Amino acid sequence: MKIHSTDYPYASQRNAIYGTNGMVATSQPLAAQAGIRMLQNGGNAIDAAIATAAALTVVEPTANGIGGDAYALVWIKDKLHGLNASGLSPASINVDVLKEQGLTEMPTYGWTPVTVPGTPSAWVALNERWGKLTLLECLTPAIEYAEKGYPVSPTLAKYWHKAFVKFSQLRNEENGDVYQQWLNTFAPEGRAPKLGEIWRSQGHANTLRAIGESNGEDFYRGEIAKAIAKASKAEGGFICEQDLQEHKVEWVEPVKANYRGYDIWEIPPNGQGMIALMGLNILKQFNAQKHNDADMMHKQIEATKLAFADGLHYITDINAMQVDPQDLLSDAYSQQRAQLITEQAQTHCHGDPKSSGTVYLATADNEGNMVSFIQSNYMGFGSGIVVPGTGIGLQNRGHTFSFDPSHANFLAPKKRTYHTIIPGFISYQGQAIGPFGVMGGFMQPQGHLQVAMNLIDFKLNPQSALDAPRWQWMKGNHVEVEQAMPSHIIHGLLERGHEVTVSPDSGGFGRGQAILRDPGSAVLVGGTEARTDGAVIAF
């Protein structure tokens, strides 16, 4: 992996950033500065990740919040650790109850798809295990942004306006009163904040301060928990105080695929990171050709379709999975799936291995610690539910549950649903190379696969690997590509039977960051995307 390469396509769009003492890469410059502030104040990469994540709930509420979920991969003392801080479904919810309400599937918005928020518990768990600074110190920059305000950036303004239009429409529909608190909190002037306009939220600041001062207790067992439960009960929601009290994070063993000598790591199910690994396992059965090759991209797309066929069928709460995740990652199964790829685009069903809205951030310090962290409310602002007086927008992760009792992701009480957010990490022969991630719903494993291949197969540096034009498989044989995709590739995909749409908006192709360490030195190299308002800050 030539992380210092400059003689490859896309390097001219934005230069990679270099540093040795520490680095933070994320989708908002103000959040990146919050993380760097922790490093400069004597904290480590874990403190920087918490500060950056908390700041993102304030400065990028269009994609995440205190009421969402989080996952982390942490490299510390020559070992990679996994944290699953996704929440369970409420104890009182089930399909029969929802059918009695006239529902035939999980709704997208409102109280019904709200699951227990895990993000604050992720901050607490990371801080208690490895943090050098107090949790309140780590949350202080976010509190200051919320109290004093900050200017709205371009990408933020764009998606905030879209959300305002959506929730304004929902407010005008039957039973739309539940969205009024969202409008009061995020559109107090009767519109979305404009580009460059200062936005602040005292409720958000108060909530963050309470979380920091109580080490998270207030959110799960104190006044905030009572406020969430009270609002839920008043509007016919399912979450109660006991659901919040019983929430616990899980420390998990990360799963990996060895791709051409490099270990690519992901969080195990209920996250969808397995899909990226299954896709890479299929692709390593083929010789990688040059970048910008239509045949190679065809194979990438087909491998992704095969991986999604299995992932969407099998991935759910790991305690409810019908197969062992390692069976899905076995070489024998990968070879079997690879044999299904032909010269033409196809639709694929799942195999049988037994027979054979989101924000991302990366941090690193000068002690060798590195963090890959991701948190989300899902679908932008999530459920559209805001707890009065708190600034807390709640996630709608329960939307991915199924009403089909034969489906692995069948809705049940106290169950984790299929989760789209995934942090990634790369190592080589036991040494950390670094964290990487691409946010954006079902684009995420597709982005992981493309960025990993750009780094490993095509020797692009982190910035070039992120800048390269992307494709996204949508459904069937339908593929969307960015406008920057070379025309000869588009024609090559069409010849192979893909239904190709050139998208005028790059926002749907993910927004990623990466920090890689040169194995031969202490030099850190970081990249972020022009698809977002991101920044890499080093010192």
Side-chain angles (χ1 to χ4, degrees):
M1 185 181 295
K2 296 182 179 180
I3 65 174
H4 303 306
S5 63
T6 58
D7 54 340
Y8 295 94
Y10 323 115
S12 62
Q13 291 191 25
R14 188 184 293 194
N15 291 326
I17 303 299
Y18 286 74
T20 55
N21 290 315
M23 184 175 287
V24 178
T26 193
S27 52
Q28 279 286 330
L30 295 175
Q33 290 175 26
I36 286 292
R37 181 168 153 186
M38 297 303 104
L39 294 174
Q40 293 175 330
N41 288 347
N44 58 20
I46 292 82
D47 298 308
I50 297 168
T52 304
L56 283 166
T57 69
V58 181
V59 301
E60 197 173 356
T62 55
N64 79 124
I66 299 172
D69 279 344
Y71 294 93
L73 291 169
V74 182
W75 183 277
I76 190 166
K77 297 180 180 178
D78 299 321
K79 178 176 171 58
L80 190 65
H81 305 262
L83 176 65
N84 182 334
S86 61
L88 302 174
S89 58
S92 61
I93 199 170
N94 61 65
V95 170
D96 290 338
V97 169
L98 297 186
K99 284 184 176 179
E100 288 175 3
Q101 296 180 359
L103 296 173
T104 57
E105 61 182 10
M106 284 297 286
T108 304
Y109 304 109
W111 275 100
T112 301
V114 173
T115 51
V116 175
T119 288
S121 67
W123 303 342
V124 172
L126 290 169
N127 178 257
E128 288 181 341
R129 188 165 184 179
W130 292 302
K132 286 186 174 183
L133 306 176
T134 67
L135 182 60
L136 183 58
E137 286 177 298
C138 293
L139 302 192
T140 294
I143 295 169
E144 293 174 352
Y145 289 144
E147 284 185 329
K148 299 176 182 178
Y150 64 91
V152 173
S153 56
T155 302
L156 184 61
K158 171 184 173 181
Y159 289 108
W160 209 319
H161 175 70
K162 286 185 175 181
F164 170 73
V165 172
K166 174 177 64 181
F167 289 120
S168 294
Q169 291 173 343
L170 289 172
R171 171 64 182 83
N172 294 328
E173 294 177 0
E174 186 178 356
N175 300 320
D177 290 348
V178 293
Y179 305 107
Q180 187 60 51
Q181 283 297 329
W182 185 94
L183 294 167
N184 293 345
T185 302
F186 293 106
E189 303 297 324
R191 56 170 173 76
K194 296 179 181 178
L195 173 62
E197 187 173 8
I198 301 296
W199 186 81
R200 57 179 59 86
S201 173
Q202 188 60 51
H204 202 136
N206 295 342
T207 295
L208 287 167
R209 184 175 286 109
I211 291 170
E213 291 176 345
S214 69
N215 215 35
E217 283 296 302
D218 199 69
F219 188 91
Y220 292 101
R221 297 168 185 85
E223 293 304 313
I224 299 174
K226 291 178 181 178
I228 295 172
K230 180 181 178 181
S232 173
K233 184 177 181 180
E235 298 291 350
F238 292 91
I239 284 186
C240 65
E241 284 189 67
Q242 187 172 351
D243 293 318
L244 293 159
Q245 291 169 0
E246 293 179 353
H247 172 74
K248 294 179 181 179
V249 303
E250 285 190 15
W251 292 101
V252 297
E253 283 296 321
V255 291
K256 68 176 180 178
N258 187 272
Y259 183 75
R260 309 199 198 282
Y262 291 87
D263 285 330
I264 313 298
W265 300 86
E266 301 279 357
I267 292 287
N270 57 320
Q272 66 173 346
M274 289 274 297
I275 292 175
L277 301 185
M278 288 187 284
L280 289 169
N281 269 347
I282 293 169
L283 286 163
K284 73 182 181 184
Q285 312 302 323
F286 304 97
N287 291 324
Q289 301 166 30
K290 64 181 181 178
H291 200 256
N292 281 347
D293 180 87
D295 186 63
M296 190 68 246
M297 195 166 290
H298 162 71
K299 290 183 171 65
Q300 287 180 316
I301 294 167
E302 292 300 293
T304 295
K305 289 156 69 173
L306 285 161
F308 263 109
D310 284 331
L312 292 174
H313 181 77
Y314 290 115
I315 291 175
T316 185
D317 189 321
I318 197 165
N319 298 311
M321 281 188 64
Q322 300 168 359
V323 300
D324 185 330
Q326 292 303 320
D327 290 341
L328 293 168
L329 295 175
S330 72
D331 286 339
Y333 186 61
S334 301
Q335 292 167 6
Q336 174 189 328
R337 299 297 269 168
Q339 291 173 3
L340 298 176
I341 296 178
T342 68
E343 294 301 312
Q344 288 294 306
Q346 304 174 74
T347 56
H348 298 285
C349 61
H350 66 86
D352 183 4
K354 293 180 181 178
S355 66
S356 46
T358 303
V359 292
Y360 175 78
L361 65 96
T363 64
D365 60 31
N366 60 6
E367 300 175 9
N369 306 315
M370 308 180 90
V371 180
S372 182
F373 188 97
I374 197 161
Q375 65 188 21
S376 172
N377 275 3
Y378 195 41
M379 296 184 179
F381 277 95
S383 64
I385 299 298
V386 173
V387 181
T390 67
I392 300 172
L394 295 171
Q395 64 184 355
N396 58 337
R397 280 291 163 188
H399 173 64
T400 56
F401 276 120
S402 172
F403 272 33
D404 181 355
S406 67
H407 197 285
N409 206 41
F410 177 63
L411 172 64
K414 296 186 178 183
K415 182 178 181 180
R416 286 189 169 100
T417 188
Y418 175 105
H419 230 292
T420 59
I421 61 174
I422 52 174
F425 201 92
I426 304 174
S427 65
Y428 181 73
Q429 296 183 349
Q431 290 186 301
I433 300 298
F436 76 103
V438 176
M439 61 193 98
F442 292 94
M443 176 63 203
Q444 291 182 58
Q446 304 186 60
H448 279 214
L449 182 149
Q450 292 174 66
V451 171
M453 290 189 70
N454 288 345
L455 291 167
I456 295 169
D457 289 308
F458 308 125
K459 307 296 190 289
L460 304 186
N461 68 37
Q463 188 58 59
S464 296
L466 292 164
D467 284 340
R470 292 200 187 124
W471 51 266
Q472 178 178 193
W473 172 68
M474 307 303 289
K475 62 180 180 179
N477 289 329
H478 180 204
V479 178
E480 287 191 355
V481 300
E482 291 187 283
Q483 285 185 315
M485 187 67 71
S487 60
H488 73 272
I489 289 186
I490 296 174
H491 290 302
L493 294 177
L494 289 169
E495 290 172 355
R496 289 165 174 81
H498 297 279
E499 300 164 6
V500 182
T501 300
V502 179
S503 175
D505 184 359
S506 290
F509 293 89
R511 301 172 296 146
Q513 286 79 36
I515 297 176
L516 305 185
R517 174 175 280 118
D518 185 343
S521 70
V523 174
L524 300 168
V525 185
T528 187
E529 296 198 17
R531 298 176 184 89
T532 186
D533 300 320
V536 181
I537 302 179
F539 77 109

